[in-house]
Amino acid sequence: AQKVTQAQTEISVVEKEDVTLDCVYETRDTTYYLFWYKQPPSGELVFLIRRNSFDEQNEISGRYSWNFQKSTSSFNFTITASQVVDSAVYVCALTPSGGSYIPTFGRGTSLIVHP
Amino acid sequence: DAGVIQSPRHEVTEMGQEVTLRCKPISGHNSLFWYRQTMMRGLELLIYFNNNVPIDDSGMPEDRFSAKMPNASFSTLKIQPSEPRDSAVYFCASRYVDSTGELFFGEGSRLTVL
């Protein structure tokens, strides 16, 4: 069975601050996929990134970066120079590579960026 | 291309009433998921279909919940009778069967049971 833990329920920052959202996972699979989704106030979950468990390279996309560390079973998400538009719920997920490929989601972290 | 379409976006009903939520998956996707999201539990998988066939409904809370997928382009989630604890946001999502890629979510149906 898989488990995804996002211990931070809510984070509040002031615009231009850097912020890191934590995601810790548990799985017995050797191959799996990790995801981050953004859920703005409108409600729809929007896909941000997918990472294969064999690829531990960090990734950067604009102000977003992801730090995957297999040794600590973590897949953390950092927003640099946060903006008000970054305010949303961010959800981490894990999909196993076998079986039914059903994702397990974390509870999400609500990020509030104040102007 | 249109994304996953859900209706209604908002539903307010009284306890004991029947509620029907609808979903149209992305054309071509043959796997459909129903999730419930609450603050306490986050996203919970209720049921999923592959090629219109229910595969796992172990997440359906009680017999009051039922889901159908009569064809590849339409699914319903029904709650009868509804209770206040059913208040949540219900999401439909779709993708290709056995894909390891992301799920494509609808905008959700916010249900409030008074």
Side-chain angles (χ1 to χ4, degrees):
Chain A
Q2 283 75 227
K3 185 177 180 181
V4 176
T5 301
Q6 294 182 255
Q8 304 152 309
T9 304
E10 183 177 297
I11 300 176
S12 184
V13 300
V14 177
E15 209 169 19
K16 297 185 183 177
E17 282 186 38
D18 298 347
V19 58
T20 295
L21 310 179
D22 298 333
C23 175
V24 174
Y25 61 90
E26 296 175 27
T27 180
R28 294 181 180 175
D29 292 330
T30 55
T31 303
Y32 47 89
Y33 300 85
L34 295 165
F35 299 79
W36 276 96
Y37 292 82
K38 177 181 180 180
Q39 187 177 24
S42 59
E44 182 178 354
L45 281 91
V46 177
F47 166 76
L48 293 178
I49 189 171
R50 169 180 178 264
R51 174 64 67 201
N52 183 311
S53 57
F54 289 114
D55 181 2
E56 290 194 65
Q57 280 194 340
N58 291 333
E59 179 155 342
I60 298 175
S61 176
R63 294 185 296 108
Y64 294 173
S65 62
W66 290 269
N67 182 0
F68 176 30
Q69 292 197 334
K70 212 167 181 177
S71 61
T72 57
S73 298
S74 65
F75 186 43
N76 296 337
F77 174 27
T78 297
I79 301 175
T80 302
S82 59
Q83 300 176 2
V84 173
V85 293
D86 296 327
S87 297
V89 175
Y90 292 87
V91 182
C92 182
L94 180 150
T95 294
S97 66
S100 54
Y101 308 97
I102 302 303
T104 298
F105 290 88
R107 288 192 196 179
T109 297
S110 177
L111 173 65
I112 302 170
V113 182
H114 299 280
Chain B
D1 286 340
V4 175
I5 299 173
Q6 291 187 245
S7 65
R9 289 294 314 278
H10 302 274
E11 175 90 8
V12 180
T13 190
E14 292 190 349
M15 184 173 64
Q17 295 298 306
E18 178 179 294
V19 174
T20 299
L21 308 179
R22 299 172 182 81
C23 175
K24 176 179 170 57
I26 289 174
S27 178
H29 283 182
N30 50 3
S31 190
L32 183 141
F33 301 77
W34 282 101
Y35 284 90
R36 179 170 67 177
Q37 186 181 41
T38 60
M39 290 289 291
M40 290 296 295
R41 298 189 174 192
L43 280 164
E44 299 175 278
L45 178 63
L46 300 176
I47 186 172
Y48 78 96
F49 297 83
N50 283 347
N51 297 308
N52 312 338
V53 177
I55 303 300
D56 183 356
D57 65 354
S58 60
M60 297 284 261
E62 300 169 26
D63 291 344
R64 298 184 296 106
F65 285 68
S66 63
K68 294 182 179 179
M69 191 164 187
N71 58 62
S73 59
F74 184 66
S75 177
T76 59
L77 177 66
K78 186 176 292 186
I79 307 172
Q80 166 64 17
S82 58
E83 296 182 3
R85 58 187 167 136
D86 301 330
S87 298
V89 181
Y90 292 81
F91 284 99
C92 177
S94 71
R95 70 174 188 197
Y96 295 108
V97 170
D98 293 341
S99 166
T100 56
E102 72 271 25
L103 288 178
F104 294 79
F105 285 85
E107 292 183 307
S109 294
R110 181 176 294 276
L111 173 64
T112 302
V113 183
L114 304 173

